Amino acid sequence: MTFGEQPAYLRVASDLREKIVNGSLPPHTRLPSQARIREEYGVSDTVALEARKVLMAEGLVEGRSGSGTYVRERPVPRRVARSGFRPPSGASPFRQEQAEEGARGTWESSSEQEAATPEVAGRLGIELGARVMRTRYVFRDAGEAMMLSTSWEPLEVTGRTPVMLPEEGPLGGCGVVERMAAIDIVVDNVVEEVGARPGLAEELLALGGVPGHVVMVVERTYYASGRAVETADVVVPADRYRIAYHLPVR
């Protein structure tokens, strides 16, 4: 294959994608049928079907049972703010950071003890099977689920302390920095790695996505003198949000 050549199904998908982007096929318009694509582009049924599959995988169209395939309305991405800003004691970092972007942040959470998996043990630098506190969050903006998070804290650090449960007690709802400071642990570094992958079925169900949609995953770990005291996976739908970093200049 020479440079610039594409399989027929990708050429068809590219042309239909352009029509969706430039408005020739506006949101809620029915996508041309497989037979019409075949006739218009002079391709086989297989090529027409594969082109439609590409657009569906990209989230540009959606199937409606008994009705056909339609162009999806494309959401305008909103920001999820991330920063090195430390809010006043007692304030939630999520609420503080989202307030700067005009979001009305609320969240639900649940905590449970479990044994560290190989991945969690590696990220926290603890033994496989060591006890950790796992906390799952659903963050909402004006009632709409916008972000999921699962965090793990080693109980050898927080066990039998007032901050063992992140969302309960005198510092419930405060950030990791403030909670650790309450037990004389000084958090001095945080590392975030951002990646993307197809969303898991349960994630997309919670976030209101459809199968095949991509999510961004922020893998975050807080450190105190080189020791990991909390690690978390933050999951955000890639088609609806952008992660915006506000980093202080030192």
Side-chain angles (χ1 to χ4, degrees):
M1 180 181 295
T2 60
F3 179 78
E5 289 186 352
Q6 286 183 313
Y9 76 95
L10 289 181
R11 293 199 301 271
V12 173
S14 179
D15 188 70
L16 290 171
R17 185 189 303 111
E18 178 61 26
K19 290 179 179 179
I20 292 171
V21 171
N22 67 24
S24 298
L25 288 172
H28 310 297
T29 299
R30 186 172 180 176
L31 194 72
S33 67
Q34 187 169 317
R36 183 171 176 183
I37 292 174
R38 182 191 64 214
E39 295 170 4
E40 182 176 342
Y41 292 94
V43 297
S44 67
D45 281 332
T46 300
V47 169
L49 177 61
E50 290 302 314
R52 289 158 63 91
K53 286 182 178 179
V54 169
L55 299 177
M56 191 166 292
E58 293 176 349
L60 295 174
V61 300
E62 61 184 355
R64 299 180 185 174
S65 180
S67 179
T69 304
Y70 291 79
V71 177
R72 294 182 67 241
E73 187 165 359
R74 300 177 68 195
V76 177
R78 289 179 284 172
R79 286 183 173 181
V80 173
R82 310 290 297 167
S83 76
F85 176 67
R86 289 179 59 182
S89 179
S92 159
F94 168 75
R95 185 184 294 275
Q96 183 71 36
E97 292 187 352
Q98 303 319 309
E100 294 183 351
E101 300 296 332
R104 299 181 295 280
T106 60
W107 68 93
E108 304 154 12
S109 66
S110 62
S111 295
E112 184 178 349
Q113 293 188 35
E114 67 178 19
T117 64
E119 181 183 2
V120 170
R123 286 163 58 171
L124 289 174
I126 59 178
E127 292 184 3
L128 176 64
R131 304 301 292 175
V132 295
M133 183 65 70
R134 183 200 66 208
T135 304
R136 289 178 172 154
Y137 297 87
V138 179
F139 295 96
R140 301 182 185 279
D141 172 9
E144 177 186 290
M146 61 174 291
M147 183 166 65
L148 307 176
S149 177
T150 303
S151 69
W152 298 269
E153 295 179 351
L155 286 174
E156 64 183 33
V157 173
T158 61
R160 300 179 183 275
T161 74
V163 301
M164 185 174 74
L165 293 168
E167 295 297 318
E168 297 182 20
L171 292 176
C174 293
V176 174
V177 175
E178 287 69 35
R179 291 176 48 250
M180 294 299 164
I183 55 175
D184 298 322
I185 294 176
V186 178
V187 173
D188 53 21
N189 191 26
V190 58
V191 176
E192 292 194 349
E193 297 183 9
V194 183
R197 59 167 171 76
L200 303 178
E202 58 267 28
E203 293 170 340
L204 296 175
L205 180 63
L207 293 168
V210 298
H213 273 195
V214 172
V215 295
M216 293 178 286
V217 182
V218 181
E219 183 181 299
R220 180 198 67 207
T221 305
Y222 283 96
Y223 295 91
S225 300
R227 180 185 189 183
V229 296
E230 191 252 34
T231 193
D233 286 337
V234 181
V235 178
V236 182
D239 64 329
R240 284 184 278 148
Y241 292 94
R242 296 290 181 266
I243 298 177
Y245 281 87
H246 302 264
L247 305 176
V249 177
R250 302 187 184 282

